[in-house]
Amino acid sequence: PDPIRKRVVNEADIDLTSRNKGGITPPHVRTGMVKFFDTSKGYGFIKDEQSQDEMFFHHSSANFPIAQFDKVTFETEMGAKGMNAVRITKL
């Protein structure tokens, strides 16, 4: 380590609690495009237009027959393996 780049950290500034306070991320309506969808298994990924993140989704979260390259709006929720797209609607 370079001693010149050393930073002093105050113990009181360290947050030891969970990043996911309250258990649920507040819903934010986002827009994106269905990047991949496997019709036989019923799941896919939506690419968020703003953050460029890819969110997993299951076809049961959509209120319409979903297909690859559809433009959609969605909300996010924390799932067992990360963020999931839920409440998906077609634009």
Side-chain angles (χ1 to χ4, degrees):
D2 185 2
I4 296 172
R5 299 179 77 185
K6 181 178 175 182
R7 292 187 300 162
V8 176
V9 178
N10 185 358
E11 275 184 53
D13 294 338
I14 300 172
D15 185 10
L16 299 177
T17 61
S18 171
R19 284 191 232 167
N20 191 6
K21 295 177 183 175
I24 297 176
T25 305
H28 299 288
V29 177
R30 300 174 180 217
T31 58
M33 181 182 70
V34 178
K35 183 174 179 181
F36 169 80
F37 183 63
D38 186 335
T39 54
S40 64
K41 296 184 180 175
Y43 74 90
F45 294 92
I46 296 174
K47 187 168 187 175
D48 188 340
E49 286 182 352
Q50 185 178 5
S51 68
Q52 300 301 309
D53 290 338
E54 291 182 14
M55 306 285 173
F56 172 85
F57 74 93
H58 190 263
H59 73 90
S60 62
S61 296
N63 64 354
F64 62 96
I66 200 159
Q68 196 165 341
F69 305 117
D70 282 346
K71 287 275 208 175
V72 295
T73 62
F74 62 97
E75 295 177 17
T76 59
E77 283 183 0
M78 183 58 81
K81 295 183 180 180
M83 295 302 284
N84 294 336
V86 295
R87 293 178 283 285
I88 303 166
T89 57
K90 193 171 184 176
L91 286 178

Coordinates of all heavy atoms in Angstrom, one line a residue:
P1 N 0.8 -1.2 0.0 CA 0.0 0.0 0.0 C 0.9 1.3 0.0 O 1.9 1.3 0.6 CB -0.8 -0.1 1.3 CG -0.7 -1.5 1.7 CD 0.5 -2.1 1.1
D2 N 0.4 2.3 -0.7 CA 1.1 3.5 -0.8 C 0.7 4.4 0.4 O -0.4 4.8 0.6 CB 0.7 4.2 -2.1 CG 1.4 5.5 -2.3 OD1 2.3 5.8 -1.5 OD2 1.1 6.2 -3.3
P3 N 1.7 4.7 1.3 CA 1.4 5.5 2.5 C 0.9 6.9 2.2 O 0.2 7.5 3.0 CB 2.7 5.5 3.3 CG 3.7 5.1 2.4 CD 3.1 4.3 1.2
I4 N 1.2 7.4 1.0 CA 0.7 8.8 0.7 C -0.8 8.8 0.4 O -1.4 9.8 0.7 CB 1.5 9.2 -0.6 CG1 3.0 9.4 -0.3 CG2 0.9 10.6 -1.1 CD1 3.8 9.6 -1.5
R5 N -1.4 7.7 -0.1 CA -2.8 7.6 -0.4 C -3.6 7.2 0.8 O -4.8 6.9 0.7 CB -3.0 6.7 -1.6 CG -2.3 7.2 -2.8 CD -2.4 6.3 -3.9 NE -3.8 6.5 -4.5 CZ -4.3 5.8 -5.4 NH1 -3.7 4.8 -6.0 NH2 -5.5 6.1 -5.9
K6 N -3.0 7.0 2.0 CA -3.7 6.6 3.2 C -4.8 7.5 3.6 O -4.6 8.7 3.6 CB -2.7 6.4 4.3 CG -3.3 5.9 5.6 CD -2.2 5.7 6.6 CE -2.7 5.3 7.9 NZ -1.7 5.2 9.0
R7 N -6.0 7.0 3.9 CA -7.1 7.8 4.4 C -7.4 7.5 5.9 O -7.2 6.3 6.3 CB -8.4 7.4 3.6 CG -8.3 7.9 2.2 CD -9.7 7.7 1.5 NE -10.1 6.3 1.6 CZ -11.3 5.9 1.4 NH1 -12.3 6.7 1.2 NH2 -11.6 4.6 1.5
V8 N -7.8 8.5 6.6 CA -8.2 8.3 8.0 C -9.7 8.0 8.0 O -10.5 8.8 7.4 CB -7.8 9.5 8.8 CG1 -8.3 9.4 10.3 CG2 -6.4 9.7 8.8
V9 N -10.2 7.0 8.7 CA -11.6 6.6 8.7 C -12.0 6.7 10.2 O -11.4 6.2 11.1 CB -11.8 5.2 8.2 CG1 -13.3 4.8 8.3 CG2 -11.3 5.1 6.8
N10 N -13.1 7.4 10.4 CA -13.7 7.6 11.7 C -14.6 6.4 11.9 O -15.5 6.0 11.1 CB -14.5 8.9 11.7 CG -15.1 9.2 13.1 OD1 -14.9 8.4 14.0 ND2 -15.7 10.3 13.3
E11 N -14.5 5.7 13.1 CA -15.3 4.6 13.4 C -16.8 4.8 13.4 O -17.6 4.0 13.0 CB -14.9 4.1 14.8 CG -13.8 3.1 14.9 CD -13.5 2.6 16.3 OE1 -14.5 2.1 16.9 OE2 -12.4 2.8 16.8
A12 N -17.2 6.0 13.8 CA -18.6 6.4 13.8 C -19.2 6.5 12.4 O -20.4 6.3 12.3 CB -18.8 7.7 14.6
D13 N -18.4 6.7 11.4 CA -18.9 6.8 10.0 C -19.1 5.5 9.4 O -19.7 5.4 8.3 CB -17.9 7.6 9.2 CG -17.9 9.1 9.7 OD1 -18.8 9.5 10.3 OD2 -16.8 9.7 9.4
I14 N -18.7 4.4 10.0 CA -18.9 3.0 9.3 C -20.3 2.5 9.6 O -20.7 2.4 10.8 CB -17.8 2.1 9.8 CG1 -16.4 2.6 9.5 CG2 -18.0 0.7 9.3 CD1 -15.3 1.8 10.1
D15 N -21.0 2.2 8.6 CA -22.4 1.7 8.7 C -22.3 0.1 8.7 O -22.0 -0.4 7.6 CB -23.3 2.2 7.6 CG -24.7 1.8 7.7 OD1 -25.1 1.2 8.8 OD2 -25.5 2.0 6.8
L16 N -22.7 -0.5 9.8 CA -22.6 -2.0 9.8 C -24.0 -2.6 9.6 O -24.1 -3.9 9.7 CB -22.0 -2.4 11.2 CG -20.6 -1.9 11.5 CD1 -20.2 -2.4 12.9 CD2 -19.6 -2.5 10.4
T17 N -25.0 -1.9 9.3 CA -26.3 -2.5 9.1 C -26.4 -2.9 7.7 O -25.6 -2.7 6.8 CB -27.4 -1.4 9.4 OG1 -27.2 -0.3 8.5 CG2 -27.3 -0.9 10.8
S18 N -27.5 -3.6 7.4 CA -27.8 -4.2 6.1 C -28.0 -3.0 5.1 O -28.5 -2.0 5.4 CB -29.0 -5.0 6.1 OG -29.4 -5.4 4.8
R19 N -27.5 -3.2 3.8 CA -27.8 -2.3 2.8 C -29.2 -2.2 2.4 O -29.8 -1.2 2.0 CB -27.0 -2.6 1.5 CG -25.6 -2.3 1.6 CD -24.9 -2.5 0.3 NE -23.8 -3.3 0.4 CZ -23.2 -3.9 -0.6 NH1 -23.6 -3.7 -1.8 NH2 -22.1 -4.6 -0.4
N20 N -29.9 -3.3 2.6 CA -31.4 -3.4 2.2 C -32.2 -3.1 3.5 O -32.8 -4.0 4.0 CB -31.7 -4.7 1.6 CG -33.0 -4.8 1.0 OD1 -33.7 -3.8 0.9 ND2 -33.4 -6.0 0.6
K21 N -32.2 -1.9 3.9 CA -32.9 -1.5 5.1 C -34.4 -1.6 4.9 O -35.0 -1.1 3.9 CB -32.6 -0.1 5.5 CG -31.1 0.0 5.9 CD -30.7 1.4 6.3 CE -29.2 1.3 6.5 NZ -28.5 2.3 6.8
G22 N -35.1 -2.3 5.8 CA -36.5 -2.4 5.6 C -36.9 -3.7 4.8 O -38.1 -4.0 4.7
G23 N -36.0 -4.3 4.2 CA -36.3 -5.6 3.5 C -36.8 -5.4 2.0 O -36.7 -6.3 1.3
I24 N -37.3 -4.2 1.7 CA -37.8 -4.1 0.3 C -37.3 -2.7 -0.2 O -37.3 -1.7 0.4 CB -39.3 -4.1 0.3 CG1 -39.8 -5.4 0.8 CG2 -39.8 -3.7 -1.1 CD1 -41.4 -5.5 0.9
T25 N -36.8 -2.8 -1.5 CA -36.4 -1.5 -2.1 C -37.6 -0.8 -2.6 O -38.6 -1.4 -3.1 CB -35.5 -1.9 -3.4 OG1 -34.5 -2.7 -3.0 CG2 -35.0 -0.6 -4.1
P26 N -37.7 0.5 -2.4 CA -38.9 1.3 -2.8 C -39.1 1.1 -4.3 O -38.2 1.2 -5.0 CB -38.6 2.7 -2.4 CG -37.2 2.8 -2.0 CD -36.7 1.4 -1.8
P27 N -40.4 1.0 -4.7 CA -40.7 0.8 -6.1 C -40.4 2.1 -6.9 O -40.7 3.2 -6.5 CB -42.1 0.4 -6.1 CG -42.7 1.0 -4.9 CD -41.6 1.0 -3.9
H28 N -39.8 1.9 -8.0 CA -39.5 3.0 -9.0 C -39.9 2.4 -10.3 O -39.4 1.4 -10.8 CB -38.0 3.4 -9.0 CG -37.5 3.9 -7.7 ND1 -37.9 5.1 -7.2 CD2 -36.7 3.3 -6.7 CE1 -37.3 5.3 -6.0 NE2 -36.6 4.2 -5.7
V29 N -40.7 3.1 -11.0 CA -41.1 2.7 -12.4 C -40.0 3.0 -13.3 O -39.5 4.1 -13.4 CB -42.4 3.4 -12.8 CG1 -42.8 3.0 -14.2 CG2 -43.6 3.0 -11.9
R30 N -39.5 2.0 -14.0 CA -38.4 2.1 -15.0 C -38.9 1.7 -16.4 O -39.9 1.1 -16.5 CB -37.3 1.2 -14.5 CG -36.7 1.5 -13.2 CD -35.7 0.5 -12.8 NE -35.2 0.8 -11.5 CZ -33.9 0.7 -11.1 NH1 -33.1 0.2 -12.0 NH2 -33.5 1.0 -9.9
T31 N -38.1 2.1 -17.4 CA -38.4 1.7 -18.7 C -37.2 0.9 -19.2 O -36.1 1.1 -18.8 CB -38.7 2.9 -19.7 OG1 -37.5 3.7 -19.7 CG2 -39.9 3.7 -19.3
G32 N -37.5 0.0 -20.1 CA -36.5 -0.9 -20.7 C -37.0 -1.7 -21.9 O -38.1 -1.5 -22.4
M33 N -36.1 -2.6 -22.3 CA -36.4 -3.5 -23.4 C -36.1 -4.9 -23.0 O -35.1 -5.2 -22.3 CB -35.5 -3.1 -24.6 CG -35.8 -3.9 -25.9 SD -34.8 -3.5 -27.2 CE -33.2 -4.2 -26.7
V34 N -37.0 -5.8 -23.5 CA -36.8 -7.2 -23.2 C -35.6 -7.7 -24.1 O -35.7 -7.7 -25.3 CB -38.0 -8.1 -23.6 CG1 -37.7 -9.5 -23.4 CG2 -39.2 -7.6 -22.7
K35 N -34.5 -8.0 -23.4 CA -33.3 -8.3 -24.2 C -33.3 -9.8 -24.5 O -32.8 -10.2 -25.6 CB -32.0 -8.0 -23.3 CG -30.7 -8.3 -24.0 CD -29.6 -7.9 -23.1 CE -28.3 -8.2 -23.9 NZ -27.1 -7.9 -23.1
F36 N -33.8 -10.7 -23.7 CA -33.8 -12.1 -23.9 C -35.1 -12.7 -23.3 O -35.5 -12.2 -22.2 CB -32.6 -12.8 -23.3 CG -32.7 -14.3 -23.2 CD1 -32.4 -15.0 -24.4 CD2 -33.0 -14.9 -22.1 CE1 -32.5 -16.4 -24.3 CE2 -33.1 -16.3 -22.0 CZ -32.8 -17.1 -23.2
F37 N -35.7 -13.6 -24.0 CA -36.9 -14.3 -23.4 C -37.0 -15.7 -23.9 O -37.0 -16.0 -25.1 CB -38.2 -13.5 -23.7 CG -39.4 -14.2 -23.1 CD1 -39.5 -14.2 -21.7 CD2 -40.4 -14.7 -23.9 CE1 -40.6 -14.8 -21.1 CE2 -41.5 -15.3 -23.3 CZ -41.6 -15.3 -21.9
D38 N -37.0 -16.7 -23.0 CA -37.1 -18.1 -23.3 C -38.5 -18.5 -23.1 O -39.0 -18.6 -22.0 CB -36.2 -18.9 -22.4 CG -36.1 -20.4 -22.7 OD1 -37.1 -20.9 -23.4 OD2 -35.1 -21.0 -22.4
T39 N -39.3 -18.7 -24.2 CA -40.7 -19.0 -24.1 C -41.0 -20.3 -23.5 O -42.0 -20.5 -22.8 CB -41.3 -18.9 -25.5 OG1 -40.6 -19.8 -26.4 CG2 -41.3 -17.5 -26.1
S40 N -40.1 -21.3 -23.7 CA -40.3 -22.6 -23.2 C -40.2 -22.7 -21.6 O -40.8 -23.5 -21.0 CB -39.4 -23.7 -23.8 OG -38.0 -23.4 -23.5
K41 N -39.3 -21.9 -21.1 CA -39.1 -21.8 -19.6 C -39.8 -20.7 -18.9 O -39.9 -20.7 -17.7 CB -37.6 -21.8 -19.3 CG -36.9 -23.1 -19.8 CD -35.4 -23.1 -19.4 CE -34.8 -24.4 -20.0 NZ -33.4 -24.4 -19.7
G42 N -40.2 -19.7 -19.7 CA -41.0 -18.6 -19.1 C -40.2 -17.5 -18.4 O -40.8 -16.8 -17.5
Y43 N -38.9 -17.3 -18.7 CA -38.2 -16.3 -18.0 C -37.3 -15.5 -19.0 O -37.2 -16.0 -20.2 CB -37.2 -16.9 -16.9 CG -36.0 -17.6 -17.5 CD1 -34.8 -16.9 -17.7 CD2 -36.1 -19.0 -17.8 CE1 -33.7 -17.6 -18.2 CE2 -35.0 -19.6 -18.3 CZ -33.8 -18.9 -18.5 OH -32.7 -19.5 -19.0
G44 N -36.8 -14.4 -18.6 CA -35.9 -13.6 -19.5 C -35.3 -12.5 -18.7 O -35.3 -12.5 -17.5
F45 N -34.7 -11.5 -19.5 CA -34.0 -10.4 -18.9 C -34.4 -9.1 -19.6 O -34.6 -9.1 -20.8 CB -32.5 -10.6 -19.1 CG -32.0 -11.7 -18.3 CD1 -31.9 -13.0 -18.8 CD2 -31.6 -11.6 -16.9 CE1 -31.4 -14.1 -18.1 CE2 -31.1 -12.7 -16.2 CZ -31.0 -13.9 -16.8
I46 N -34.6 -8.1 -18.8 CA -35.0 -6.8 -19.3 C -33.8 -5.9 -19.1 O -33.2 -5.8 -18.0 CB -36.2 -6.2 -18.6 CG1 -37.4 -7.0 -18.9 CG2 -36.4 -4.7 -19.0 CD1 -38.6 -6.6 -18.1
K47 N -33.4 -5.1 -20.1 CA -32.3 -4.1 -19.9 C -32.9 -2.8 -19.6 O -33.6 -2.2 -20.4 CB -31.4 -4.1 -21.2 CG -30.2 -3.2 -21.1 CD -29.3 -3.4 -22.3 CE -28.0 -2.7 -22.0 NZ -27.0 -2.9 -23.1
D48 N -32.5 -2.2 -18.5 CA -33.0 -0.9 -18.0 C -32.3 0.2 -18.9 O -31.1 0.2 -19.1 CB -32.6 -0.7 -16.5 CG -33.1 0.5 -15.9 OD1 -33.6 1.4 -16.6 OD2 -33.2 0.5 -14.7
E49 N -33.2 1.1 -19.4 CA -32.7 2.1 -20.3 C -31.8 3.1 -19.6 O -30.8 3.6 -20.1 CB -33.8 2.9 -20.9 CG -34.5 2.1 -22.0 CD -35.6 2.9 -22.7 OE1 -36.0 4.0 -22.2 OE2 -36.2 2.5 -23.7
Q50 N -32.1 3.4 -18.3 CA -31.3 4.4 -17.6 C -30.0 3.9 -17.1 O -29.0 4.5 -17.3 CB -32.2 5.0 -16.4 CG -31.5 6.1 -15.7 CD -32.4 6.6 -14.6 OE1 -33.4 6.1 -14.3 NE2 -31.9 7.7 -14.0
S51 N -30.0 2.8 -16.4 CA -28.8 2.3 -15.7 C -28.1 1.2 -16.6 O -26.9 0.9 -16.2 CB -29.2 1.6 -14.4 OG -29.9 0.4 -14.6
Q52 N -28.7 0.7 -17.6 CA -28.1 -0.3 -18.5 C -28.0 -1.7 -17.7 O -27.3 -2.6 -18.2 CB -26.8 0.1 -19.1 CG -26.9 1.4 -20.0 CD -27.9 1.2 -21.1 OE1 -27.8 0.2 -21.9 NE2 -28.8 2.1 -21.3
D53 N -28.6 -1.8 -16.5 CA -28.5 -3.1 -15.8 C -29.5 -4.0 -16.4 O -30.5 -3.6 -17.0 CB -28.9 -2.8 -14.3 CG -27.9 -2.1 -13.6 OD1 -26.7 -2.1 -14.0 OD2 -28.2 -1.5 -12.5
E54 N -29.3 -5.3 -16.3 CA -30.2 -6.3 -16.8 C -30.9 -6.9 -15.6 O -30.3 -7.3 -14.6 CB -29.5 -7.4 -17.5 CG -28.9 -6.9 -18.9 CD -28.2 -7.9 -19.7 OE1 -28.4 -9.1 -19.4 OE2 -27.5 -7.6 -20.6
M55 N -32.2 -7.0 -15.6 CA -33.0 -7.5 -14.5 C -33.7 -8.8 -15.0 O -34.3 -8.9 -16.1 CB -34.2 -6.5 -14.2 CG -33.7 -5.1 -13.8 SD -33.0 -5.1 -12.2 CE -32.4 -3.4 -12.2
F56 N -33.7 -9.8 -14.1 CA -34.3 -11.1 -14.4 C -35.8 -10.9 -14.2 O -36.3 -10.1 -13.4 CB -33.9 -12.1 -13.4 CG -34.6 -13.4 -13.4 CD1 -34.3 -14.4 -14.3 CD2 -35.7 -13.6 -12.6 CE1 -35.0 -15.6 -14.4 CE2 -36.4 -14.8 -12.6 CZ -36.1 -15.8 -13.5
F57 N -36.6 -11.6 -15.0 CA -38.1 -11.6 -14.8 C -38.7 -12.9 -15.2 O -38.1 -13.7 -15.9 CB -38.8 -10.5 -15.6 CG -38.9 -10.7 -17.1 CD1 -40.0 -11.3 -17.6 CD2 -37.8 -10.4 -17.9 CE1 -40.1 -11.6 -19.0 CE2 -37.9 -10.7 -19.3 CZ -39.0 -11.3 -19.8
H58 N -39.9 -13.2 -14.6 CA -40.6 -14.4 -15.0 C -41.9 -13.9 -15.7 O -42.4 -12.8 -15.4 CB -41.0 -15.2 -13.7 CG -41.6 -16.5 -14.0 ND1 -42.9 -16.7 -14.0 CD2 -41.0 -17.7 -14.3 CE1 -43.1 -18.0 -14.3 NE2 -42.0 -18.6 -14.5
H59 N -42.4 -14.7 -16.6 CA -43.5 -14.2 -17.4 C -44.8 -14.0 -16.6 O -45.6 -13.2 -17.0 CB -43.8 -15.3 -18.5 CG -44.5 -16.5 -18.0 ND1 -45.8 -16.7 -17.9 CD2 -43.9 -17.7 -17.6 CE1 -46.1 -17.9 -17.4 NE2 -45.0 -18.5 -17.2
S60 N -44.8 -14.5 -15.4 CA -46.0 -14.3 -14.5 C -46.0 -12.8 -14.0 O -47.1 -12.4 -13.5 CB -46.0 -15.3 -13.4 OG -44.9 -15.1 -12.6
S61 N -44.9 -12.1 -14.2 CA -44.9 -10.7 -13.7 C -45.4 -9.7 -14.8 O -45.5 -8.6 -14.5 CB -43.4 -10.3 -13.4 OG -43.0 -11.1 -12.3
A62 N -45.7 -10.3 -16.0 CA -46.2 -9.4 -17.1 C -47.7 -9.6 -17.2 O -48.2 -10.7 -17.0 CB -45.5 -9.8 -18.3
N63 N -48.4 -8.6 -17.6 CA -49.9 -8.7 -17.8 C -50.2 -8.8 -19.3 O -51.3 -8.5 -19.7 CB -50.5 -7.4 -17.2 CG -50.1 -6.1 -18.0 OD1 -49.3 -6.2 -18.8 ND2 -50.8 -5.1 -17.6
F64 N -49.3 -9.3 -20.1 CA -49.5 -9.5 -21.6 C -48.5 -10.5 -22.1 O -47.6 -10.9 -21.4 CB -49.2 -8.1 -22.3 CG -47.8 -7.7 -22.1 CD1 -46.8 -7.9 -23.1 CD2 -47.4 -7.0 -21.0 CE1 -45.5 -7.5 -23.0 CE2 -46.1 -6.6 -20.8 CZ -45.1 -6.8 -21.8
P65 N -48.8 -11.1 -23.3 CA -47.8 -12.0 -23.8 C -46.5 -11.3 -24.2 O -46.5 -10.4 -25.0 CB -48.5 -12.5 -25.1 CG -50.0 -12.1 -25.0 CD -50.0 -10.9 -24.1
I66 N -45.5 -11.7 -23.6 CA -44.2 -11.0 -23.7 C -43.3 -11.6 -24.8 O -43.4 -12.8 -25.0 CB -43.5 -10.9 -22.3 CG1 -42.4 -9.8 -22.3 CG2 -42.9 -12.3 -22.0 CD1 -42.1 -9.4 -20.9
A67 N -42.6 -10.8 -25.5 CA -41.7 -11.3 -26.5 C -40.4 -10.5 -26.5 O -40.3 -9.4 -25.9 CB -42.4 -11.1 -27.9
Q68 N -39.4 -11.0 -27.1 CA -38.1 -10.4 -27.2 C -38.2 -9.0 -27.9 O -39.0 -8.9 -28.9 CB -37.1 -11.3 -27.9 CG -35.6 -10.9 -27.6 CD -34.7 -12.0 -28.0 OE1 -35.0 -13.1 -28.2 NE2 -33.4 -11.6 -28.2
F69 N -37.5 -8.0 -27.5 CA -37.4 -6.7 -28.0 C -38.6 -5.8 -27.7 O -38.8 -4.7 -28.3 CB -37.1 -6.7 -29.5 CG -35.9 -7.5 -29.9 CD1 -35.9 -8.6 -30.7 CD2 -34.6 -7.1 -29.4 CE1 -34.8 -9.3 -31.0 CE2 -33.5 -7.8 -29.7 CZ -33.6 -8.9 -30.5
D70 N -39.6 -6.3 -26.9 CA -40.7 -5.4 -26.5 C -40.2 -4.3 -25.6 O -39.3 -4.5 -24.8 CB -41.7 -6.2 -25.6 CG -42.6 -7.1 -26.5 OD1 -42.6 -6.9 -27.7 OD2 -43.3 -8.0 -25.9
K71 N -40.7 -3.1 -25.8 CA -40.5 -2.0 -24.9 C -41.4 -2.1 -23.7 O -42.6 -2.2 -23.9 CB -40.7 -0.7 -25.6 CG -39.6 -0.3 -26.6 CD -38.5 0.3 -25.9 CE -37.7 1.2 -26.9 NZ -36.7 1.9 -26.2
V72 N -40.9 -2.0 -22.5 CA -41.7 -2.2 -21.3 C -41.4 -1.2 -20.2 O -40.4 -0.5 -20.2 CB -41.5 -3.6 -20.7 CG1 -42.0 -4.6 -21.7 CG2 -40.1 -3.9 -20.4
T73 N -42.4 -1.0 -19.3 CA -42.1 -0.4 -18.0 C -42.2 -1.4 -16.9 O -42.9 -2.4 -17.1 CB -43.1 0.7 -17.7 OG1 -44.4 0.1 -17.6 CG2 -43.1 1.8 -18.7
F74 N -41.4 -1.2 -15.8 CA -41.4 -2.3 -14.8 C -40.9 -1.6 -13.5 O -40.4 -0.5 -13.5 CB -40.5 -3.4 -15.2 CG -39.0 -3.0 -15.4 CD1 -38.1 -3.2 -14.4 CD2 -38.6 -2.5 -16.6 CE1 -36.8 -2.8 -14.5 CE2 -37.3 -2.1 -16.8 CZ -36.4 -2.3 -15.8
E75 N -41.2 -2.4 -12.4 CA -40.7 -2.0 -11.1 C -39.7 -3.1 -10.7 O -39.6 -4.2 -11.3 CB -41.8 -1.9 -10.1 CG -42.7 -0.8 -10.4 CD -43.9 -0.7 -9.5 OE1 -43.8 -1.3 -8.4 OE2 -44.9 0.0 -9.8
T76 N -38.9 -2.8 -9.7 CA -37.9 -3.8 -9.2 C -38.2 -4.2 -7.8 O -38.7 -3.4 -7.0 CB -36.5 -3.3 -9.3 OG1 -36.4 -2.1 -8.5 CG2 -36.1 -3.0 -10.8
E77 N -37.9 -5.5 -7.5 CA -37.9 -6.0 -6.2 C -36.7 -7.0 -5.9 O -36.3 -7.6 -6.9 CB -39.2 -6.9 -5.9 CG -40.4 -6.1 -5.7 CD -41.7 -6.9 -5.5 OE1 -41.5 -8.2 -5.4 OE2 -42.7 -6.3 -5.3
M78 N -36.3 -7.0 -4.7 CA -35.2 -7.9 -4.4 C -35.7 -9.3 -4.4 O -36.6 -9.7 -3.7 CB -34.5 -7.5 -3.0 CG -33.3 -8.4 -2.7 SD -32.0 -8.3 -3.9 CE -31.2 -6.7 -3.4
G79 N -35.0 -10.2 -5.1 CA -35.3 -11.6 -5.1 C -34.2 -12.4 -4.4 O -33.3 -11.8 -3.8
A80 N -34.3 -13.7 -4.5 CA -33.3 -14.6 -3.8 C -31.9 -14.4 -4.3 O -31.0 -14.5 -3.6 CB -33.8 -16.0 -3.9
K81 N -31.8 -14.1 -5.6 CA -30.5 -14.0 -6.3 C -30.2 -12.6 -6.8 O -29.3 -12.4 -7.5 CB -30.4 -15.0 -7.4 CG -30.5 -16.4 -6.9 CD -30.3 -17.4 -8.1 CE -30.4 -18.8 -7.7 NZ -30.2 -19.7 -8.8
G82 N -31.0 -11.6 -6.4 CA -30.7 -10.2 -6.8 C -32.0 -9.5 -7.2 O -33.1 -10.0 -6.9
M83 N -31.9 -8.4 -7.9 CA -33.0 -7.6 -8.3 C -33.8 -8.3 -9.4 O -33.2 -8.8 -10.4 CB -32.6 -6.2 -8.8 CG -31.9 -5.4 -7.6 SD -33.0 -5.2 -6.2 CE -34.1 -3.9 -6.9
N84 N -35.1 -8.3 -9.3 CA -36.0 -8.8 -10.3 C -36.9 -7.8 -10.8 O -37.4 -6.9 -10.1 CB -36.9 -10.0 -9.7 CG -36.1 -11.2 -9.3 OD1 -35.0 -11.4 -9.8 ND2 -36.6 -11.9 -8.4
A85 N -37.3 -7.8 -12.1 CA -38.3 -6.9 -12.7 C -39.7 -7.5 -12.4 O -39.9 -8.7 -12.6 CB -38.1 -6.8 -14.2
V86 N -40.6 -6.7 -11.9 CA -42.0 -7.1 -11.5 C -42.9 -6.1 -12.0 O -42.6 -5.0 -12.4 CB -42.2 -7.3 -10.0 CG1 -41.3 -8.5 -9.5 CG2 -41.8 -6.1 -9.2
R87 N -44.2 -6.4 -12.1 CA -45.3 -5.5 -12.5 C -44.9 -4.9 -13.9 O -44.9 -3.7 -14.1 CB -45.6 -4.4 -11.5 CG -46.2 -5.0 -10.2 CD -46.5 -4.0 -9.2 NE -45.4 -3.6 -8.4 CZ -44.8 -4.4 -7.5 NH1 -45.2 -5.6 -7.2 NH2 -43.7 -3.9 -6.8
I88 N -44.7 -5.8 -14.8 CA -44.2 -5.4 -16.2 C -45.4 -5.0 -17.0 O -46.4 -5.8 -17.1 CB -43.4 -6.5 -16.8 CG1 -42.2 -6.9 -15.9 CG2 -42.9 -6.1 -18.2 CD1 -41.6 -8.2 -16.3
T89 N -45.4 -3.9 -17.7 CA -46.4 -3.5 -18.7 C -45.8 -3.1 -20.0 O -44.6 -2.6 -20.0 CB -47.3 -2.3 -18.1 OG1 -46.4 -1.2 -17.8 CG2 -48.0 -2.7 -16.9
K90 N -46.5 -3.3 -21.1 CA -45.9 -3.0 -22.4 C -46.2 -1.5 -22.7 O -47.2 -1.0 -22.4 CB -46.6 -3.9 -23.4 CG -46.0 -3.9 -24.8 CD -46.6 -5.0 -25.6 CE -45.9 -5.1 -27.0 NZ -46.4 -6.2 -27.8
L91 N -45.2 -0.9 -23.4 CA -45.4 0.5 -23.8 C -46.0 0.5 -25.2 O -45.9 -0.3 -26.0 CB -44.0 1.2 -23.9 CG -43.3 1.6 -22.6 CD1 -42.0 2.2 -22.8 CD2 -44.2 2.5 -21.8

